[in-house]
Amino acid sequence: MTDKKSSDDGAVEKTGQWVAGLAEKVMVNGVGPITGSVTWAEDRLSRRQGTDYRAPGDDGRRSPEDMKDDIDAVISRLIKESAAAAGAQGFVTGLGGLLTAGVTIPANVAASAAVNMRMAGAIAHLRGWDINDPHVRTVAMMLAIGMSTQSVLAAFGVKVGQKFGEQMIKKIPITMIRAINKKAGTYLISKYGTQRAAITLAKGVPILGGVVGGAVDAGATAVIGRATDKALRGDTLRAEEPK
């Protein structure tokens, strides 16, 4: 029994490290055929704004609030592009093969997670979050794999009704971030890390208290994208830290 428990703990630890590593790869640098979140988001924003576009760091760049209409439109496009990628079987199969070495997550689930993580990272960036920070990536990662906003808050030890903003996140010790990554590993294994899950994909992805029926596919990606945007632009996660 002890050996079995140790083995399970090891699998959870390994999956937690894998999912955190995947989030960093996908959001910061890109992986395989997909570019990183910021590069992708900025490319689509520049296409939207044309000659009015200013890159991050440019003194003439407007704030996310001042670009709200453009950002709303770009995020809608990013969600549609991600849903199309998640629904393209050949793309998902090929990408998944690059990602799953050493973990029990099915390739199709890993590929969908990568697509969703890039999308969540791009949304976070456009909404003004710094995805180079591992604390912020962890929040985006948890939303991207289908964990509810309430689950994210609970993982960070936030009580019901407590304000929770980016500055508060960044004060959390990195050791706690590793523990939170382990919870994400537990979530993935419990949902997808079985032979049955590998055969049938997923029966549902919990998100914001609801359930998306069917496979981890284009429809689930679209729902996760909208829920992630709602979480990152609203005051559930973005509220000011309490005085």
Side-chain angles (χ1 to χ4, degrees):
M1 179 65 84
T2 302
D3 289 345
K4 174 70 163 60
K5 190 173 188 298
S6 298
S7 175
D8 290 345
D9 287 345
V12 166
E13 186 83 39
K14 193 169 188 177
T15 303
Q17 292 172 355
W18 171 82
V19 73
L22 179 62
E24 181 174 4
K25 285 180 187 176
V26 170
M27 293 184 197
V28 177
N29 301 312
V31 61
I34 62 176
T35 57
S37 295
V38 173
T39 300
W40 180 43
E42 290 296 325
D43 176 73
R44 297 305 187 262
L45 183 62
S46 69
R47 294 187 193 189
R48 165 81 181 182
Q49 294 183 328
T51 57
D52 292 333
Y53 171 75
R54 298 292 182 273
D58 190 308
D59 290 341
R61 185 177 172 100
R62 291 176 286 155
S63 69
E65 291 75 19
D66 289 340
M67 295 191 290
K68 183 180 180 304
D69 289 346
D70 288 338
I71 286 175
D72 286 349
V74 170
I75 287 175
S76 178
R77 175 175 178 172
L78 296 180
I79 293 172
K80 288 177 182 177
E81 289 184 15
S82 298
Q89 197 60 43
F91 174 83
V92 167
T93 302
L95 179 59
L98 296 173
L99 306 173
T100 53
V103 294
T104 58
I105 304 302
N108 63 287
V109 174
S112 293
V115 168
N116 293 349
M117 284 180 192
R118 180 175 76 145
M119 173 181 67
I123 291 170
H125 168 71
L126 290 171
R127 292 300 180 197
W129 296 72
D130 177 14
I131 64 166
N132 286 309
D133 187 284
H135 300 72
V136 172
R137 280 200 305 274
T138 295
V139 171
M141 171 196 77
M142 294 172 81
L143 293 168
I145 64 174
M147 296 180 74
S148 69
T149 303
Q150 289 83 354
S151 295
V152 174
L153 294 173
F156 277 89
V158 178
K159 298 175 182 177
V160 174
Q162 184 179 2
K163 299 295 186 182
F164 186 59
E166 188 170 354
Q167 294 310 308
M168 183 177 178
I169 294 171
K170 291 181 178 181
K171 291 181 180 179
I172 293 171
I174 199 69
T175 51
M176 183 173 174
I177 294 298
R178 294 193 187 103
I180 292 169
N181 290 337
K182 188 172 179 180
K183 290 184 179 181
T186 301
Y187 174 86
L188 281 172
I189 286 179
S190 67
K191 284 294 172 187
Y192 309 122
T194 66
Q195 286 300 315
R196 186 161 185 266
I199 295 168
T200 65
L201 307 186
K203 289 300 183 185
V205 179
I207 187 74
L208 297 178
V211 175
V212 182
V216 180
D217 57 4
T221 291
V223 170
I224 286 173
R226 290 191 294 269
T228 297
D229 186 38
K230 181 179 179 181
L232 296 178
R233 70 177 173 178
D235 58 8
T236 303
L237 292 177
R238 222 22 230 279
E240 293 297 320
E241 184 181 359
K243 304 296 183 185

